[in-house]
Amino acid sequence: MTVHSQGAMTDAPQDAPQKSAGRPEKSASPTGPGPKSPRGGRKSLPSGWLPYLLVGPAVLALATLLLYPLIKNVILSFQDINKIEFIQRKYPFAGFSNYTELIGDADFWTVVVRSFAFTAANVVLIMVLGSLIGILLNRLGKKMRLVLSMALVMAWAMPIVASVQVFKWLFDEQFGVMNWVMRTAGFAGYEQHNWMQTGLSTLTIVTVLVVWGSIPFVALNMYAGLTTVGAELYEAARMDGANGWQTFWKIVFPNLKPFFLITTFLEVIWVFKAFTQVYAMNKGGPDRGSEILPVFAYVEGQSQAHYGLAAAISVLTILILVVVMSFYFRLILKQEEEQ
């Protein structure tokens, strides 16, 4: 009797959970417990009109500051408004005459080519030099990295007009530092040499200014990106006998490819619309030889009083930039799909 009861007891599992009769067993949620409020209840996302009310002020501000001027500018591009019409407040409709005039104007296409060449030269120099300085920041010691970072931030924070005045003094015809440096180095012909006597030389000086002011952004972001690359990857590359160039292309570039794509995209936009540096340096001169599209539109509108034509130039500038950026957007989206 005793043995039989012990065998019956050993047949049943010792750790089996006790189920209460009449109560169904609760299954665990596949997604786990939801977020709870401080009072113990479950949080819920805002619904109804609340999300729209929260983003409403931002949308209204963007529409007021960006959308409305853009619409007015597009309307103005279809009107024939010069100085007389502006004074008389007459706004005659001109159809596509402003656009056809621009498309048939050889000077417009010269400015377009100049704008693309100026943008390409600046972006290449900014990305190459900024990336090299970012790599240097990653390899410097703590103190020297701090000194170089502070210098980069100070250059980046300098107002554009102030930096233009400094560069105009550096390349001044009579009191410029560059003429003194060239004479001191033994070069002849730099007594009161005019560094801005042609459009190409003026844009070269502007390129130095733009690159100098844009390198800090790329360098600091490059350094921040390099801190996310694991040290074991560099160690593995060294063990495989890779040199610095091979380490960059095999380790750094693949890991920071999204950084290079986004940063290049931003630099193209910023350089393409670089108005202040070009206009403040020499007002698009000499003989309008250093004008890029934003300066070309401003000169036509303000100096020549061709307001409708200037509006058409700005609209075409936006369309050209959108077409160019569409190819870049496709490249970024393709990169995201591969990841």
Side-chain angles (χ1 to χ4, degrees):
M1 189 70 181
T2 305
V3 174
H4 177 72
S5 64
Q6 289 178 351
M9 291 178 63
T10 56
D11 291 338
Q14 297 293 330
D15 298 330
Q18 299 295 327
K19 297 181 180 179
S20 58
R23 294 183 180 178
E25 183 180 0
K26 295 182 179 180
S27 60
S29 173
T31 58
K36 295 182 178 181
S37 65
R39 297 183 179 180
R42 188 182 297 274
K43 288 183 177 180
S44 60
L45 295 175
S47 59
W49 289 98
L50 182 58
Y52 301 99
L53 292 176
L54 293 176
V55 301
V59 174
L60 182 61
L62 288 174
T64 303
L65 298 176
L66 297 177
L67 186 60
Y68 177 73
L70 179 61
I71 294 175
K72 291 291 291 183
N73 189 72
V74 173
I75 295 174
L76 180 61
S77 67
F78 290 100
Q79 296 173 338
D80 185 14
I81 302 178
N82 297 314
K83 185 177 293 186
I84 297 177
E85 288 80 8
F86 184 78
I87 295 174
Q88 296 177 350
R89 296 192 177 186
K90 294 180 179 180
Y91 311 106
F93 182 73
F96 290 92
S97 61
N98 291 325
Y99 292 97
T100 55
E101 180 179 351
L102 285 174
I103 293 175
D105 188 3
D107 293 335
F108 171 73
W109 292 110
T110 301
V111 174
V112 171
V113 173
R114 185 187 299 138
S115 300
F116 276 106
F118 175 77
T119 302
N122 277 271
V123 171
V124 170
L125 290 173
I126 290 169
M127 293 303 300
V128 172
L129 297 178
S131 299
L132 292 176
I133 295 177
I135 295 174
L136 177 63
L137 282 172
N138 191 46
R139 297 193 176 187
L140 287 176
K142 187 176 182 180
K143 293 183 179 179
M144 289 305 299
R145 183 188 302 127
L146 178 61
V147 172
L148 182 56
S149 299
M150 291 179 61
L152 290 172
V153 171
M154 292 176 64
W156 192 20
M158 179 174 287
I160 296 178
V161 176
S163 61
V164 169
Q165 295 304 316
V166 172
F167 270 74
K168 289 178 71 174
W169 168 69
L170 290 174
F171 292 92
D172 185 72
E173 184 176 348
Q174 186 173 0
F175 304 104
V177 176
M178 287 304 301
N179 281 337
W180 174 81
V181 170
M182 299 301 289
R183 292 196 305 269
T184 305
F187 292 96
Y190 286 93
E191 188 70 33
Q192 295 187 352
H193 175 71
N194 184 9
W195 290 87
M196 301 184 190
Q197 59 185 349
T198 63
L200 179 60
S201 61
T202 302
L203 284 179
T204 302
I205 298 174
V206 175
T207 298
V208 176
L209 171 62
V210 173
V211 171
W212 171 80
S214 301
I215 279 179
F217 174 78
V218 178
L220 294 175
N221 279 279
M222 180 69 178
Y223 167 67
L226 288 172
T227 58
T228 64
V229 180
E232 65 276 3
L233 297 177
Y234 294 108
E235 184 66 25
R238 282 193 294 267
M239 293 179 63
D240 291 337
N243 56 29
W245 185 254
Q246 292 171 336
T247 301
F248 176 81
W249 280 112
K250 300 296 183 181
I251 303 297
V252 176
F253 186 77
N255 284 276
L256 298 183
K257 194 173 182 180
F259 155 77
F260 286 107
L261 290 175
I262 296 298
T263 306
T264 305
F265 168 73
L266 294 175
E267 290 297 334
V268 168
I269 294 177
W270 289 338
V271 174
F272 198 82
K273 63 184 185 66
F275 167 81
T276 307
Q277 294 92 330
V278 179
Y279 188 79
M281 185 66 70
N282 203 15
K283 296 184 179 180
D287 297 328
R288 306 186 68 173
S290 63
E291 288 182 353
I292 58 176
L293 281 171
V295 179
F296 183 57
Y298 180 82
V299 171
E300 285 293 331
Q302 297 299 321
S303 300
Q304 307 296 326
H306 300 155
Y307 303 107
L309 191 65
I313 296 171
S314 62
V315 172
L316 289 177
T317 302
I318 295 174
L319 292 178
I320 292 172
L321 191 58
V322 167
V323 171
V324 173
M325 288 296 98
S326 63
F327 296 100
Y328 207 77
F329 279 129
R330 292 177 59 186
L331 185 61
I332 294 176
L333 293 176
K334 184 179 179 181
Q335 173 68 22
E336 293 180 353
E337 292 175 358
E338 292 177 355
Q339 293 178 352

